[in-house]
PDB file of all heavy atoms in Angstrom:
ATOM      1  N   ARG B 181      99.703 -73.350  -8.931  1.00  0.00           N
ATOM      2  CA  ARG B 181     100.429 -72.332  -8.304  1.00  0.00           C
ATOM      3  C   ARG B 181     100.120 -72.232  -6.742  1.00  0.00           C
ATOM      4  O   ARG B 181     101.076 -71.881  -6.030  1.00  0.00           O
ATOM      5  CB  ARG B 181     100.119 -70.860  -8.966  1.00  0.00           C
ATOM      6  CG  ARG B 181     100.696 -70.731 -10.359  1.00  0.00           C
ATOM      7  CD  ARG B 181     102.296 -70.987 -10.341  1.00  0.00           C
ATOM      8  NE  ARG B 181     102.839 -70.932 -11.632  1.00  0.00           N
ATOM      9  CZ  ARG B 181     103.137 -72.001 -12.293  1.00  0.00           C
ATOM     10  NH1 ARG B 181     102.858 -73.143 -11.834  1.00  0.00           N
ATOM     11  NH2 ARG B 181     103.718 -71.981 -13.521  1.00  0.00           N
ATOM     12  N   ARG B 182      98.888 -72.587  -6.398  1.00  0.00           N
ATOM     13  CA  ARG B 182      98.527 -72.697  -5.073  1.00  0.00           C
ATOM     14  C   ARG B 182      98.676 -74.172  -4.542  1.00  0.00           C
ATOM     15  O   ARG B 182      97.681 -74.881  -4.743  1.00  0.00           O
ATOM     16  CB  ARG B 182      97.075 -72.130  -4.919  1.00  0.00           C
ATOM     17  CG  ARG B 182      96.906 -70.750  -5.199  1.00  0.00           C
ATOM     18  CD  ARG B 182      97.218 -69.675  -4.283  1.00  0.00           C
ATOM     19  NE  ARG B 182      96.419 -69.789  -3.001  1.00  0.00           N
ATOM     20  CZ  ARG B 182      96.754 -69.475  -1.750  1.00  0.00           C
ATOM     21  NH1 ARG B 182      97.905 -68.829  -1.725  1.00  0.00           N
ATOM     22  NH2 ARG B 182      96.053 -69.597  -0.624  1.00  0.00           N
ATOM     23  N   ILE B 183      99.839 -74.481  -4.068  1.00  0.00           N
ATOM     24  CA  ILE B 183     100.092 -75.856  -3.646  1.00  0.00           C
ATOM     25  C   ILE B 183     100.149 -75.956  -2.135  1.00  0.00           C
ATOM     26  O   ILE B 183     100.987 -75.281  -1.568  1.00  0.00           O
ATOM     27  CB  ILE B 183     101.388 -76.409  -4.295  1.00  0.00           C
ATOM     28  CG1 ILE B 183     101.212 -76.339  -5.824  1.00  0.00           C
ATOM     29  CG2 ILE B 183     101.603 -77.727  -3.898  1.00  0.00           C
ATOM     30  CD1 ILE B 183     102.514 -76.569  -6.601  1.00  0.00           C
ATOM     31  N   ALA B 184      99.422 -76.856  -1.603  1.00  0.00           N
ATOM     32  CA  ALA B 184      99.403 -76.986  -0.113  1.00  0.00           C
ATOM     33  C   ALA B 184     100.302 -78.040   0.244  1.00  0.00           C
ATOM     34  O   ALA B 184     100.371 -79.093  -0.443  1.00  0.00           O
ATOM     35  CB  ALA B 184      98.009 -77.242   0.307  1.00  0.00           C
ATOM     36  N   LEU B 185     100.865 -77.969   1.335  1.00  0.00           N
ATOM     37  CA  LEU B 185     101.607 -79.093   1.892  1.00  0.00           C
ATOM     38  C   LEU B 185     101.136 -79.574   3.262  1.00  0.00           C
ATOM     39  O   LEU B 185     101.052 -78.849   4.192  1.00  0.00           O
ATOM     40  CB  LEU B 185     103.146 -78.474   2.213  1.00  0.00           C
ATOM     41  CG  LEU B 185     104.103 -79.416   2.880  1.00  0.00           C
ATOM     42  CD1 LEU B 185     104.353 -80.765   1.926  1.00  0.00           C
ATOM     43  CD2 LEU B 185     105.449 -78.865   3.226  1.00  0.00           C
ATOM     44  N   ILE B 186     100.655 -80.798   3.204  1.00  0.00           N
ATOM     45  CA  ILE B 186     100.175 -81.493   4.438  1.00  0.00           C
ATOM     46  C   ILE B 186     101.306 -82.357   4.897  1.00  0.00           C
ATOM     47  O   ILE B 186     101.494 -83.505   4.464  1.00  0.00           O
ATOM     48  CB  ILE B 186      98.954 -82.372   4.074  1.00  0.00           C
ATOM     49  CG1 ILE B 186      97.839 -81.606   3.294  1.00  0.00           C
ATOM     50  CG2 ILE B 186      98.369 -82.957   5.383  1.00  0.00           C
ATOM     51  CD1 ILE B 186      97.340 -80.332   4.049  1.00  0.00           C
ATOM     52  N   ASN B 187     102.127 -81.777   5.779  1.00  0.00           N
ATOM     53  CA  ASN B 187     103.376 -82.370   6.191  1.00  0.00           C
ATOM     54  C   ASN B 187     103.256 -83.235   7.531  1.00  0.00           C
ATOM     55  O   ASN B 187     102.310 -83.024   8.238  1.00  0.00           O
ATOM     56  CB  ASN B 187     104.341 -81.274   6.431  1.00  0.00           C
ATOM     57  CG  ASN B 187     105.738 -81.768   6.113  1.00  0.00           C
ATOM     58  OD1 ASN B 187     105.999 -83.077   5.921  1.00  0.00           O
ATOM     59  ND2 ASN B 187     106.778 -80.897   6.145  1.00  0.00           N
ATOM     60  N   GLY B 188     104.165 -84.092   7.850  1.00  0.00           N
ATOM     61  CA  GLY B 188     104.248 -84.579   9.152  1.00  0.00           C
ATOM     62  C   GLY B 188     104.748 -83.664  10.202  1.00  0.00           C
ATOM     63  O   GLY B 188     105.016 -82.454   9.849  1.00  0.00           O
ATOM     64  N   LEU B 189     104.958 -84.047  11.364  1.00  0.00           N
ATOM     65  CA  LEU B 189     105.316 -83.162  12.494  1.00  0.00           C
ATOM     66  C   LEU B 189     106.691 -82.580  11.988  1.00  0.00           C
ATOM     67  O   LEU B 189     107.667 -83.346  11.776  1.00  0.00           O
ATOM     68  CB  LEU B 189     105.541 -84.032  13.715  1.00  0.00           C
ATOM     69  CG  LEU B 189     104.201 -84.154  14.445  1.00  0.00           C
ATOM     70  CD1 LEU B 189     104.532 -85.080  15.654  1.00  0.00           C
ATOM     71  CD2 LEU B 189     103.773 -82.823  15.029  1.00  0.00           C
ATOM     72  N   VAL B 190     106.768 -81.304  11.947  1.00  0.00           N
ATOM     73  CA  VAL B 190     108.092 -80.670  11.450  1.00  0.00           C
ATOM     74  C   VAL B 190     109.086 -80.853  12.369  1.00  0.00           C
ATOM     75  O   VAL B 190     110.375 -80.508  11.907  1.00  0.00           O
ATOM     76  CB  VAL B 190     107.712 -79.281  10.909  1.00  0.00           C
ATOM     77  CG1 VAL B 190     107.956 -78.321  12.163  1.00  0.00           C
ATOM     78  CG2 VAL B 190     108.476 -78.862   9.674  1.00  0.00           C
ATOM     79  N   SER B 191     108.998 -81.158  13.570  1.00  0.00           N
ATOM     80  CA  SER B 191     110.057 -81.417  14.373  1.00  0.00           C
ATOM     81  C   SER B 191     110.820 -82.775  13.939  1.00  0.00           C
ATOM     82  O   SER B 191     111.999 -82.930  14.284  1.00  0.00           O
ATOM     83  CB  SER B 191     109.682 -81.561  15.933  1.00  0.00           C
ATOM     84  OG  SER B 191     108.612 -82.709  15.920  1.00  0.00           O
ATOM     85  N   MET B 192     110.139 -83.480  13.315  1.00  0.00           N
ATOM     86  CA  MET B 192     110.830 -84.771  12.659  1.00  0.00           C
ATOM     87  C   MET B 192     111.650 -84.407  11.512  1.00  0.00           C
ATOM     88  O   MET B 192     111.435 -83.527  10.743  1.00  0.00           O
ATOM     89  CB  MET B 192     109.679 -85.742  12.122  1.00  0.00           C
ATOM     90  CG  MET B 192     108.769 -86.285  13.228  1.00  0.00           C
ATOM     91  SD  MET B 192     109.695 -87.485  14.274  1.00  0.00           S
ATOM     92  CE  MET B 192     109.323 -86.915  15.908  1.00  0.00           C
ATOM     93  N   ASP B 193     112.810 -85.052  11.490  1.00  0.00           N
ATOM     94  CA  ASP B 193     113.771 -84.633  10.429  1.00  0.00           C
ATOM     95  C   ASP B 193     113.297 -84.791   9.065  1.00  0.00           C
ATOM     96  O   ASP B 193     113.370 -83.974   8.165  1.00  0.00           O
ATOM     97  CB  ASP B 193     115.185 -85.476  10.666  1.00  0.00           C
ATOM     98  CG  ASP B 193     116.223 -84.948   9.860  1.00  0.00           C
ATOM     99  OD1 ASP B 193     116.850 -84.040  10.305  1.00  0.00           O
ATOM    100  OD2 ASP B 193     116.341 -85.278   8.585  1.00  0.00           O
ATOM    101  N   PHE B 194     112.470 -85.901   8.909  1.00  0.00           N
ATOM    102  CA  PHE B 194     112.050 -86.161   7.382  1.00  0.00           C
ATOM    103  C   PHE B 194     111.000 -85.154   7.048  1.00  0.00           C
ATOM    104  O   PHE B 194     111.123 -84.586   5.829  1.00  0.00           O
ATOM    105  CB  PHE B 194     111.355 -87.482   7.365  1.00  0.00           C
ATOM    106  CG  PHE B 194     110.013 -87.698   7.940  1.00  0.00           C
ATOM    107  CD1 PHE B 194     108.954 -87.311   7.083  1.00  0.00           C
ATOM    108  CD2 PHE B 194     109.770 -87.909   9.299  1.00  0.00           C
ATOM    109  CE1 PHE B 194     107.671 -87.329   7.660  1.00  0.00           C
ATOM    110  CE2 PHE B 194     108.480 -87.866   9.846  1.00  0.00           C
ATOM    111  CZ  PHE B 194     107.400 -87.642   8.998  1.00  0.00           C
ATOM    112  N   ALA B 195     110.297 -84.553   7.986  1.00  0.00           N
ATOM    113  CA  ALA B 195     109.357 -83.574   7.564  1.00  0.00           C
ATOM    114  C   ALA B 195     109.984 -82.201   7.245  1.00  0.00           C
ATOM    115  O   ALA B 195     109.608 -81.464   6.359  1.00  0.00           O
ATOM    116  CB  ALA B 195     108.299 -83.319   8.667  1.00  0.00           C
TER     117      ALA B 195
END
Side-chain angles (χ1 to χ4, degrees):
Chain B
R181 289 298 172 270
R182 300 275 297 159
I183 301 173
L185 176 64
I186 309 295
N187 207 356
L189 278 169
V190 86
S191 56
M192 295 286 128
D193 195 84
F194 78 89

